[in-house]
Amino acid sequence: MPEVKPQIEESWKTALEDEFNATYFAGLKNFLIEEKKQHTVFPPGFFIFNAFNQTPISRVRVVILGQDPYHGPGQAHGLSFSVPQGIAPPPSLKNIFKEIKEDTGNPLPTNGDLTRWARQGVLLLNATLTVRARTPGSHQGKGWETFTDAAITTISKTQDHVVFLLWGRYAKNKAHLIDPSKHLILQAAHPSPYSADKGFFGCRHFSKTNEWLESHAINTIDW
């Protein structure tokens, strides 16, 4: 099997070495090679591991789990729910900002780039790290979920007092990977317009996160 050399931050490369060397990951890589011959794939290759590159494992304080990258042109840059500066925030992100404003009093941000969160220790992790353009869910079941489940499990085992924000049924199904005796798991409806008023609005996850971090003498997040 050829050696896989992922462009990923060193602490994550070490922590997930077994995943990169696993048979399923070689299959995933081959799938992506063939997929890119026929279709546009988001995000661009250098952004696939952006969440890990922005947030080394020892700095993870919060995990926000998404499902797929955005599938529209220019939207996905490897951080769940985030879009680059200059791209209009999608509806779910608008609802996240609305809840933050109601919860913390922070003003609405001027752009949807959440890199500022990632650099504070918020791992913005999608369960699937790539997607075919305009085809949501197209790269599910190809191996990414095994990889990102391993990342969640690694955080749970090696770090202390991390807050996991699980929004929607898909994210909630990852709760079994997390040790609740060490970490705080907060669950709510997905911020999508289809479900935000069914338990996301009013969840106060952002202030609750900071209360937990502060209670364990960990720097809070500037949302």
Side-chain angles (χ1 to χ4, degrees):
M1 185 187 305
E3 183 182 0
V4 177
K5 296 183 178 179
Q7 300 301 307
I8 190 170
E9 187 271 335
E10 283 298 323
S11 68
W12 282 111
K13 183 184 292 187
T14 300
L16 298 174
E17 181 178 9
D18 288 348
E19 306 306 313
F20 290 120
N21 292 325
T23 302
Y24 85 84
F25 199 88
L28 171 60
K29 185 177 181 182
N30 289 334
F31 163 76
L32 290 173
I33 290 170
E34 293 302 313
E35 182 81 346
K36 289 178 180 180
K37 291 178 181 177
Q38 304 177 59
H39 305 283
T40 299
V41 172
F42 295 134
F46 55 87
F47 275 141
I48 290 176
F49 295 112
N50 194 25
F52 300 95
N53 292 334
Q54 295 290 345
T55 314
I57 189 168
S58 63
R59 295 185 57 200
V60 174
R61 290 184 272 164
V62 181
V63 178
I64 299 180
L65 186 65
Q67 188 166 348
D68 274 350
Y70 294 123
H71 54 86
Q75 292 181 309
H77 66 146
L79 304 176
S80 62
F81 295 103
S82 179
V83 291
Q85 292 195 36
I87 301 295
S92 292
L93 184 54
K94 288 183 179 179
N95 286 338
I96 290 170
F97 289 160
K98 181 178 178 181
E99 174 61 20
I100 289 173
K101 186 175 187 296
E102 291 297 316
D103 183 16
T104 69
N106 287 7
L108 293 173
T110 57
N111 66 79
D113 186 350
L114 303 182
T115 303
R116 61 187 181 276
W117 292 2
R119 291 176 176 168
Q120 294 180 72
V122 182
L123 183 68
L124 297 164
L125 182 65
N126 281 315
T128 303
L129 298 188
T130 56
V131 69
R132 184 186 301 176
R134 300 179 179 84
T135 314
S138 50
H139 288 188
Q140 292 178 10
K142 304 298 183 181
W144 278 130
E145 295 91 341
T146 301
F147 178 80
T148 53
D149 280 2
I152 295 168
T153 301
T154 297
I155 293 167
S156 179
K157 289 181 177 178
T158 65
Q159 305 303 302
D160 293 315
H161 312 311
V162 174
V163 183
F164 291 82
L165 304 184
L166 308 182
W167 300 332
R169 183 176 60 185
Y170 187 90
K172 291 176 183 178
N173 286 340
K174 304 293 185 178
H176 72 280
L177 302 171
I178 305 160
D179 183 351
S181 70
K182 294 173 60 180
H183 307 291
L184 177 63
I185 303 171
L186 296 176
Q187 303 186 41
H190 194 277
S192 160
Y194 300 105
S195 54
D197 60 354
K198 298 176 182 177
F200 179 77
F201 290 140
C203 70
R204 299 188 67 244
H205 279 186
F206 304 96
S207 61
K208 290 176 180 178
T209 292
N210 280 345
E211 288 166 5
W212 167 270
L213 295 174
E214 191 170 25
S215 72
H216 292 91
I218 301 170
N219 289 337
T220 57
I221 305 298
D222 180 2
W223 299 110

